[in-house]
Amino acid sequence: MHYSEFGLSNTKTLLTRALRDGYAVPAFNFYNMETLNAILAAAEITQSPVILAVSESALEYMGDDILMGLIRGAQYKKNSIALHLDHGHSFESCKHAIDLGFSSVMFDGSALPLNDNIKISRRVSDYAHRFDVSVETELGQLRGTEDKNTKSDSNIFTNPNMVQDFVKQTQTDSLAIAIGTSHGAYKRKNKNESLRFDILERIAKNIPNTPLVLHGASSIPQKYIKDIDKFGGDIKNAYGISPAQIRRAISMHITKVNIDSDSRLAFTSAVRKTLYQNRAVFDPRIYLSTATNEMTKNCIAEIQNIMGSGYKI
Ligand SMILES: [Zn+2]
């Protein structure tokens, strides 16, 4: 299926507009009906374009048919929503998503030797562009803190001198860069650690027409950490990137900001709180709808306080 049959837009269209007008389009990850509905409700309320991000593991979790069934059945304004593969790790994975009806794919070859990264990124671009599907690639590496036990300090910042060539050779539509953000809920050793705006400035200068993407940019709202810990959880010392820093990055050509951890925290804190305060509840619809509403609230806050993408559809 082609994505146009689902009324989806590609990300190139959404991001080109964002780059021109100086805001960022949020990419929110989802994994089931509730998280999808939470994002779409926020998009509707704020009148914001939104990128629905699906990782390889989320696709595996839902299955092809259920995922595309959800997209088919979802209510959204046509041409303001993109369906994006987050961190595709092979050409085959990206092709599979495109064939399903995704309007945008990321090929993440950041861990590969540079030549392989370029070669596969280009192959993905060549295939995707035949169907007007947009491509995001990555140069540089984010600190991997998805897993507490594999915390690594090896943040490899994007080299500004390499971006022009990389974009030209890969024919990518947007570029994910590493300037000090990281994946997961444990982003920083201390609250004052700053993003490398000097690197961002040089990258933006070298590729002024390429939308730039920030991964690992959740702000980790402390109210959710507190609620999770208060109602039976155990998440400590988790800090994100401050909204002020993300806003500054957006003013410097970042046009797509990925948010996953914040949504997970909002959802989980609401589930914990609801179950803790209502010990007799065992109908999943009760705590799942509360959680969906909390995630919607968080997505709205991100759109209004950070992205600046409200009323941009
Ligand atoms: Zn990412």
Side-chain angles (χ1 to χ4, degrees), residues 168-188:
K168 199 172 154 207
Q169 291 189 56
T170 59
Q171 292 292 301
T172 191
D173 298 299
S174 64
L175 183 67
I177 56 169
I179 55 166
T181 56
S182 55
H183 289 117
Y186 298 86
K187 296 193 187 300
R188 291 178 302 158

Side-chain angles (χ1 to χ4, degrees), residues 11 83-86 93-95 97-98 102-107 124 128 133-137:
T11 44
L83 181 63
H84 173 78
L85 178 70
D86 191 22
S93 171
C94 294
K95 179 181 183 299
I98 293 166
F102 280 56
S103 62
S104 174
V105 292
M106 176 196 190
F107 172 68
V124 170
V133 169
S134 310
V135 174
E136 173 184 333
T137 54

Side-chain angles (χ1 to χ4, degrees), residues 86-87 183 215-216 258:
D86 191 22
H87 292 284
H183 289 117
H215 282 244
N258 289 22

Side-chain angles (χ1 to χ4, degrees), residues 198-243:
D198 56 322
I199 296 178
L200 173 57
E201 192 179 2
R202 290 173 57 204
I203 294 171
K205 211 174 134 194
N206 287 342
I207 44 171
N209 299 317
T210 305
L212 302 176
V213 179
L214 207 55
H215 282 244
S218 281
S219 49
I220 315 295
Q222 293 300 301
K223 61 179 175 180
Y224 294 139
I225 302 292
K226 278 196 197 113
D227 270 359
I228 287 173
D229 287 348
K230 186 170 159 194
F231 299 113
D234 184 15
I235 301 183
K236 288 189 174 60
N237 303 319
Y239 299 105
I241 313 295
S242 76

Side-chain angles (χ1 to χ4, degrees), residues 179-180 188 190-197 245 248:
I179 55 166
R188 291 178 302 158
N190 68 69
K191 293 186 203 172
N192 301 320
E193 208 177 319
S194 171
L195 298 181
R196 290 290 303 270
F197 292 105
Q245 290 207 31
R248 187 173 164 200

